[in-house]
Amino acid sequence: MKKIIYLFTVILLTTSTNVMAQQEQKDKRTGKEAKKAQKEAQKAAKKIAKQAEKLLLFEQAAKAMNERKFVYKIDRIQIDNGRFTPTDNRSSFFELNDSVTASQMDTGSTYSTPKLIYGSISDFESSTDKKGNLIIKFVLKEKTSIIPQNITMKLEYESNECAMTIAERKGTRKYIRGTIVPLGSEIIFRGTPVIY
């Protein structure tokens, strides 16, 4: 009888130890899975917050462009061989305030200060393409030139990044990249105005 009780006790202890070990492993797996799920949830929340921020930038830029009150901060301009060269976006800009424009290009030359050129626009059109990009077109007449320029600006959806194409005359085009900000929201350096 003692042997049976002893055997029964050994079996009971062995079984309970195995059950406890299995439970402990399950808890460890559950803890790892919980941590993994928490990391994935944080990653998804960051992604959603970033998309919301980009959409807000797009909506602010689109509103400013449609109201014709924006600053286009120029980051880079295409040079003759098709490559883009960077510019100083604190002092290289195109500004539109209603129908009056101010533009300035600073390519980083130490020998001259950037010149501020005023102008006016006409034939303003705004549309949206299939991808949700905002496209505005207008004719620019700068005070320093007798030739009007056809301007096309494409604001990329869910961003304030914008591409500008300047058609100066038949076959001559300039391509510029930059960002759109509402007029008065950023401080920009203004050089010497060109007066004619």
Side-chain angles (χ1 to χ4, degrees):
M1 184 74 158
K2 285 182 182 180
K3 285 184 180 181
I4 294 175
I5 293 174
Y6 178 75
L7 186 62
F8 184 70
T9 307
V10 170
I11 292 172
L12 187 61
L13 284 173
T14 306
T15 307
S16 64
T17 305
N18 284 340
V19 169
M20 287 174 55
Q22 286 175 353
Q23 184 64 36
E24 202 172 286
Q25 283 182 337
K26 188 177 179 185
D27 289 346
K28 281 183 184 177
R29 272 188 264 130
T30 306
K32 285 179 184 178
E33 289 170 3
K35 283 181 183 178
K36 186 178 177 182
Q38 184 180 11
K39 282 184 181 179
E40 287 175 0
Q42 287 174 345
K43 191 175 179 181
K46 283 181 183 177
K47 188 176 179 181
I48 290 168
K50 197 168 188 176
Q51 284 178 328
E53 184 181 347
K54 285 182 177 181
L55 189 58
L56 179 64
L57 285 172
F58 173 79
E59 288 172 358
Q60 288 173 342
K63 182 176 186 264
M65 288 176 80
N66 282 321
E67 290 175 351
R68 299 192 230 182
K69 294 199 178 291
F70 66 88
V71 175
Y72 180 52
K73 295 174 60 181
I74 299 170
D75 296 323
R76 55 195 186 277
I77 184 167
Q78 190 177 33
I79 51 180
D80 293 335
N81 60 7
R83 291 179 300 147
F84 279 87
T85 185
T87 63
D88 184 349
N89 70 5
R90 291 168 301 186
S91 55
S92 296
F93 65 90
F94 174 82
E95 177 183 282
L96 179 59
N97 188 357
D98 224 2
S99 62
V100 178
T101 67
S103 60
Q104 179 174 277
M105 186 64 66
D106 184 3
T107 54
S109 172
T110 55
Y111 302 108
S112 64
T113 58
K115 301 290 184 208
L116 184 61
I117 301 170
Y118 290 99
S120 61
I121 67 158
S122 61
D123 303 330
F124 183 88
E125 295 175 20
S126 176
S127 62
T128 306
D129 68 9
K130 292 177 183 177
K131 295 181 179 178
N133 303 316
L134 175 68
I135 299 169
I136 64 168
K137 296 179 180 182
F138 53 88
V139 177
L140 172 64
K141 177 72 175 75
E142 290 184 320
K143 291 187 177 184
T144 58
S145 174
I146 58 168
I147 301 168
Q149 302 170 338
N150 293 314
I151 308 290
T152 303
M153 298 182 77
K154 180 176 163 183
L155 178 67
E156 296 169 7
Y157 183 64
E158 288 190 350
S159 162
N160 65 342
E161 300 260 333
C162 186
M164 176 189 265
T165 305
I166 304 169
E168 294 178 315
R169 43 189 178 269
K170 194 172 183 179
T172 306
R173 293 183 184 275
K174 285 183 187 172
Y175 299 98
I176 298 172
R177 298 282 305 170
T179 54
I180 299 287
V181 293
L183 189 64
S185 66
E186 296 227 3
I187 296 171
I188 50 177
F189 170 76
R190 293 175 184 273
T192 308
V194 177
I195 300 169
Y196 283 87

